[in-house]
Amino acid sequence: MNCTLYLNQSRVLVRLCRFHSALVPRGVSTLYGDQNQNWSVRRHQAVTCHREPVPAWQNLMFVQQRSYAKKAKKGSTKLEIRPGDVNPFISYDSLIEKMERILERLNQDFVKYVSLQTSVGAFNDLLVSTDGGKVPLNRLVQVSQKNPQTIIMNLAATPQYIPAVKNAIVSSGMNVNPQQDGSTLFVPLPKVTREHREGVAKSAKIRADKTKVHIREVYAEFLKKLRNVKCSANDEHYVKAVLLEINHQYCDKCDAMLKAKQQELLPSK
């Protein structure tokens, strides 16, 4: 059986046909083979190539198709982290300490500010922006609880900070809206409804997203430090991979904390 393999830059086309001749573009190289699988390359100057007829069942056409490799699943290959190989270039312990501190801050924020039951203590540590920097709210305001549904803040001694205090409360993510009466702020505590739960869950996600931004900032900080250190290409590649792996690990931990908090706030979700 004789066959011809047409070759060009974009595709490969194998044709086995029963006709005695077929048109071949001028200048195209063909791979010619006989029934003994003896192959030879011919570059055609003419436009017609003659072949022996073959049985009808062999009238086949095969077209090569490009296939793409599947993307590897996340976490399928785990990088082995060796602190001893990282420390000559960056401080591994310092990196982990900063990452852990970021997650601990998120956990504290979840406990204080992302809760269905808001208490006086949640307001005391709120940071208020002033001309001299950020100051804890309890240094500017006298906070007391009038009843289980209302918190009172007295700013008679510092009325100039009323707008800043209101802004700090609204942006805290506690899903409360302070009302002003002279130099006094009344903060009504919302009832635990489905709407309130969704509002608190939304504020939890906002805090988690900010936390992941801080994690990436630490990653970028240590990546910059690495660029200022002389090391071989292999060492640089490995340390970069470690930094990226730790960045992913702590972002995943942040997502896990958020998921647990949202399940607490919205049990049916």
Side-chain angles (χ1 to χ4, degrees):
M1 180 182 67
N2 298 331
C3 65
T4 302
L5 179 65
Y6 299 96
L7 306 174
N8 59 31
Q9 293 180 351
S10 60
R11 64 175 180 172
V12 177
L13 178 64
V14 179
R15 296 189 63 192
L16 303 177
C17 65
R18 58 183 175 180
F19 300 109
H20 292 278
S21 63
L23 293 180
V24 180
R26 182 183 300 274
V28 171
S29 297
T30 62
L31 185 63
Y32 183 81
D34 56 20
Q35 61 184 359
N36 296 322
Q37 297 184 358
N38 296 319
W39 300 90
S40 61
V41 178
R42 300 176 184 177
R43 185 173 180 83
H44 290 271
Q45 300 299 327
V47 296
T48 303
C49 177
H50 297 277
R51 297 181 303 277
E52 295 295 331
V54 297
W57 62 270
Q58 294 181 348
N59 293 341
L60 304 175
M61 176 180 290
F62 301 94
V63 178
Q64 184 181 20
Q65 295 182 349
R66 184 177 181 182
S67 59
Y68 296 88
K70 294 183 178 179
K71 186 178 180 181
K73 293 183 179 180
K74 186 177 180 181
S76 58
T77 57
K78 188 175 181 180
L79 176 69
E80 180 184 358
I81 298 178
R82 304 183 297 273
D85 294 341
V86 177
N87 281 324
F89 311 105
I90 60 172
S91 175
Y92 179 82
D93 293 338
S94 177
L95 171 64
I96 298 301
E97 181 182 354
K98 287 190 174 185
M99 293 294 192
E100 289 290 341
R101 195 158 51 235
I102 291 173
L103 288 188
E104 179 60 27
R105 190 181 307 124
L106 176 63
N107 184 57
Q108 292 176 359
D109 288 349
F110 278 174
V111 173
K112 288 182 179 179
Y113 309 123
V114 187
S115 176
L116 297 176
Q117 301 294 337
T118 306
S119 62
V120 174
F123 294 95
N124 289 332
D125 295 331
L126 280 180
L127 295 178
V128 181
S129 298
T130 66
D131 295 337
K134 292 187 176 182
V135 180
L137 184 141
N138 58 0
R139 294 187 182 181
L140 306 174
V141 181
Q142 293 180 355
V143 184
S144 61
Q145 190 159 359
K146 181 178 180 181
N147 54 57
Q149 286 76 37
T150 308
I151 290 178
I152 298 177
M153 299 183 181
N154 186 359
L155 288 89
T158 55
Q160 67 274 23
Y161 294 118
I162 291 178
V165 170
K166 290 175 65 177
N167 183 62
I169 295 172
V170 172
S171 59
S172 66
M174 290 188 285
N175 199 31
V176 293
N177 187 22
Q179 306 296 324
Q180 182 179 353
D181 183 8
S183 60
T184 303
L185 293 179
F186 294 90
V187 183
L189 302 181
K191 295 180 179 180
V192 182
T193 61
R194 179 72 183 183
E195 182 180 358
H196 176 60
R197 287 177 178 271
E198 291 176 350
V200 177
K202 182 178 179 180
S203 67
K205 185 178 186 309
I206 293 174
R207 288 185 178 274
D209 289 342
K210 289 182 179 179
T211 297
K212 286 196 286 187
V213 170
H214 295 323
I215 290 173
R216 295 186 186 104
E217 287 175 350
V218 173
Y219 162 74
E221 173 191 343
F222 279 82
L223 191 61
K224 184 177 180 181
K225 289 181 179 180
L226 177 64
R227 290 170 181 164
N228 296 328
V229 177
K230 292 183 179 180
C231 58
S232 67
N234 289 337
D235 289 334
E236 182 181 5
H237 178 76
Y238 173 71
V239 177
K240 282 183 177 180
V242 169
L243 288 174
L244 186 60
E245 176 66 20
I246 292 175
N247 174 70
H248 289 329
Q249 287 181 5
Y250 278 87
C251 284
D252 290 343
K253 289 181 180 181
C254 179
D255 289 335
M257 292 173 64
L258 173 62
K259 183 177 180 180
K261 191 63 179 181
Q262 288 184 328
Q263 287 178 346
E264 174 190 332
L265 298 170
L266 301 168
S268 61
K269 189 173 181 179

